[in-house]
Amino acid sequence: MKRIAIIGGGISGLSAAFFLEQRRLAGMPLEYVLFEANPRFGGVIFTERVDDCLVEAGPDSFLTEKPDASDLCRDLGIGDQLVGSNDSQRKTYILVNGKLIAIPDGLAFMIPTKILPAALSPLFSWHTKLKMTSEWFHLPLEVKNDESVASFVERHYGKEMVDRLADPLLSGVYGGDASQLSVKAVMPRFAEMQARHGSLGKATIKNRSQAIGKSSCPIFTSLKDGMHQLVSALLLRIPASSVRSNASIQSLCPIDDGWRVSWQDKAEQFDSVILAVPSYVAAELLDSSNANLASELRAIQYSSSGTVALGFDRKVGELLPAGFGYLVPRREGKRVLAVTFVHNKFPHRTPEDRALFRCFLGGTRDEPVLDLADDEILQIVRKELREVLGIETEPRFARVYKWRGAMAQYNVGHLERLQRIEVLRREVPGLFFAGNAYNGIGVPDCVRSGRQAASHALGVEP
Ligand SMILES: Cc1cc2nc3c(=O)[nH]c(=O)nc-3n(C[C@H](O)[C@H](O)[C@H](O)COP(=O)(O)OP(=O)(O)OC[C@H]3O[C@@H](n4cnc5c(N)ncnc54)[C@H](O)[C@@H]3O)c2cc1C
């Protein structure tokens, strides 16, 4: 009987456990235990119901085009609970000199695919508009070494595009910094497009024309009762005898043919271990047995971030422009990095007479904000919402959530580091990794990483 330990009960570890459970039910001789340090499973996935509103403390949805999370929901029998974003309201604004300016139609991430809206948009100067035109004539270019997203985007569209779009978007998604994040790890498709076509604009239009006829799905997907519905469904399918909460693993010791896993005053032996914890925790656990591997894992940086939920009466919603929300470039000098108008993006999350805001703070741009007390953070958020949106009203409720060291940063050189980690990992029998430190930070990426780690541990196809 093969025994596998999974350490970390976030979505990565839970996905690994579910894969093992499916194989166990199919008759594979195996036992597994999922260890989670906290009383609650789900890691950064946490949903609360406050004042009849569905509040997401961590991730609020996932990209529909990445199928792993939706497929998992269907495997769990909750496919009918999937809900798409309300894309009829899909407009995002950028704060420029204190005013909200809509991202023009036809801008795919930051690639212009429609000439007129980009040409008429007040978001960009004439210099940037000229760059957008001349980008069309870029020749194919394979850049051997990795480079930052900022230098890549600047080469194509100039510095203003970095400041007004690339950096705010990456702050919102990664809590990261465009001048540090690796284009090959974070935007591999862009690097491929540059190598094949030269111009990103030309490549996008070509890809689109090939995709014509395919159904257009909402850009984001979530669950009717919130992201925690996925965690609850997973826990219903994993037997209680295979999960241990309040079990913070303190040491991992290689022994003959396996591992000794220790927590509090207890220890158990396993053939294999899946580390589904942040890579700096994996590094701590492997330090004494494999210092080189630990040092590579420790070198992956993480950022911390906070979300603030504010619920208002609908009158406040009437002050707002239509759309999903806005992003804030760093030169605006604000501490709130992004704001989502939840009642527009996912209307089912609020009663009709409410407006719900989700504000994002911290990241590499402003980690110290997380050291402030909740009251101080709320004051900052309310001041900035007053300045940008003119909201003076008292909220009906407010919640502050802090996520320390939760977002891995794929800095320049990340893919090379992953190769070194993989070489070192293969030298250690029965050791596997899952989580957002490696091949994708989004919920679907983490689901995939958990499934792959579990399948590798069993030596079967994912
Ligand atoms: C604020 C925020 C917003 C986000 N928004 C989105 C979004 O909208 N869409 C999207 O796709 N992604 C989003 N993400 C990213 C995504 O949610 C995460 O990358 C993903 O959920 C991480 O899952 P994980 O299981 O790898 O890690 P985690 O959720 O961090 O889980 C790791 C678990 O390991 C446990 N652990 C740690 N040490 C030990 C130990 N020694 N022993 C036992 N257990 C231990 C922890 O307690 C934790 O439960 C967001 C992330 C954050 C923080």
Side-chain angles (χ1 to χ4, degrees), residues 118-419:
L120 297 177
S121 170
L123 186 56
F124 304 114
S125 64
W126 281 108
H127 180 74
T128 303
K129 289 172 186 171
L130 281 175
K131 284 282 241 181
M132 288 177 181
T133 315
S134 59
E135 201 271 347
W136 198 258
F137 303 101
H138 279 206
L139 294 174
L141 172 68
E142 189 141 17
V143 177
K144 217 163 158 261
N145 293 329
D146 197 5
E147 64 178 321
S148 71
V149 173
S151 87
F152 180 94
V153 173
E154 188 170 345
R155 184 166 61 252
H156 285 265
Y157 298 116
K159 175 111 178 49
E160 190 180 61
M161 186 66 96
V162 176
D163 295 343
R164 292 207 173 157
L165 265 186
D167 193 50
L169 279 166
L170 293 175
S171 290
V173 177
Y174 281 82
D177 177 343
S179 70
Q180 303 297 315
L181 292 169
S182 148
V183 75
K184 288 197 173 173
V186 170
M187 304 192 317
R189 259 194 291 184
F190 279 22
E192 277 163 35
M193 286 189 270
Q194 174 182 265
R196 279 195 65 193
H197 301 275
S199 159
L200 306 181
K202 230 192 249 175
T204 306
I205 292 199
K206 195 159 182 202
N207 292 346
R208 282 228 178 126
S209 62
Q210 284 164 358
I212 278 176
K214 291 193 182 158
S215 70
S216 63
C217 296
I219 183 157
F220 299 108
T221 298
S222 193
L223 285 149
K224 286 183 187 156
D225 282 340
M227 294 293 288
H228 210 266
Q229 207 175 348
L230 173 56
V231 174
S232 306
L234 282 159
L235 286 170
L236 276 178
R237 300 290 284 272
I238 303 166
S241 55
S242 291
V243 296
R244 310 256 196 291
S245 52
N246 293 307
S248 175
I249 300 306
Q250 282 136 11
S251 87
L252 203 56
C253 188
I255 49 171
D256 286 348
D257 297 332
W259 296 88
R260 191 172 59 243
V261 175
S262 311
W263 72 105
Q264 287 132 15
D265 54 352
K266 305 183 191 80
E268 268 189 58
Q269 291 190 16
F270 294 90
D271 301 298
S272 299
V273 170
I274 297 172
L275 282 169
V277 287
S279 59
Y280 54 86
V281 177
E284 284 293 302
L285 292 172
L286 292 168
D287 225 0
S288 54
S289 62
N290 200 316
N292 290 343
L293 181 51
S295 130
E296 291 288 0
L297 290 165
R298 196 173 282 117
I300 299 174
Q301 287 177 11
Y302 275 74
S303 72
S304 301
S305 49
T307 57
V308 173
L310 288 174
F312 290 95
D313 286 322
R314 191 62 168 193
K315 272 192 255 100
V316 162
E318 287 158 14
L319 289 174
L320 306 177
F324 281 3
Y326 66 90
L327 300 165
V328 185
R330 64 184 73 216
R331 68 170 50 208
E332 293 296 310
K334 302 267 186 243
R335 299 192 86 169
V336 174
L337 307 179
V339 176
T340 304
F341 307 151
V342 179
H343 51 280
N344 286 346
K345 186 175 172 188
F346 288 108
H348 74 281
R349 289 191 186 158
T350 59
E352 273 189 15
D353 57 349
R354 302 289 166 72
L356 177 63
F357 293 77
R358 171 181 153 98
C359 308
F360 194 74
L361 297 101
T364 51
R365 208 195 281 184
D366 187 17
E367 299 246 347
V369 76
L370 296 181
D371 297 330
L372 300 178
D374 288 4
D375 278 357
E376 293 173 291
I377 293 180
L378 278 177
Q379 274 177 26
I380 291 171
V381 170
R382 294 217 33 221
K383 174 173 168 285
E384 295 193 1
L385 288 183
R386 195 161 48 241
E387 288 165 355
V388 176
L389 299 170
I391 296 172
E392 305 275 357
T393 329
E394 280 290 313
R396 291 173 63 104
F397 68 85
R399 292 285 183 283
V400 177
Y401 307 95
K402 293 176 178 170
W403 301 109
R404 291 188 191 276
M407 295 270 219
Q409 300 295 298
Y410 297 176
N411 288 341
V412 174
H414 182 74
L415 297 185
E416 289 78 8
R417 170 160 292 114
L418 289 192
Q419 281 173 3

Side-chain angles (χ1 to χ4, degrees), residues 30 43 66 72 143 427:
L30 78 103
K66 294 189 170 187
L72 175 61
V143 177
E427 290 169 5

Side-chain angles (χ1 to χ4, degrees), residues 290 293 296 416-428 433:
N290 200 316
L293 181 51
E296 291 288 0
E416 289 78 8
R417 170 160 292 114
L418 289 192
Q419 281 173 3
R420 294 195 295 277
I421 288 174
E422 184 56 12
V423 168
L424 293 165
R425 184 196 68 79
R426 281 168 185 266
E427 290 169 5
V428 187
F433 296 119

Side-chain angles (χ1 to χ4, degrees), residues 19-20 23 28 451-462:
F19 184 88
L20 295 182
R23 292 301 173 282
M28 262 192 139
R451 194 181 63 234
Q452 284 176 346
S455 67
H456 293 154
L458 292 178
V460 299
E461 285 294 309

Side-chain angles (χ1 to χ4, degrees), residues 29-46:
L30 78 103
E31 271 178 18
Y32 65 93
V33 179
L34 172 62
F35 295 96
E36 166 54 46
N38 284 318
R40 177 183 68 74
F41 285 86
V44 301
I45 297 182
F46 181 51

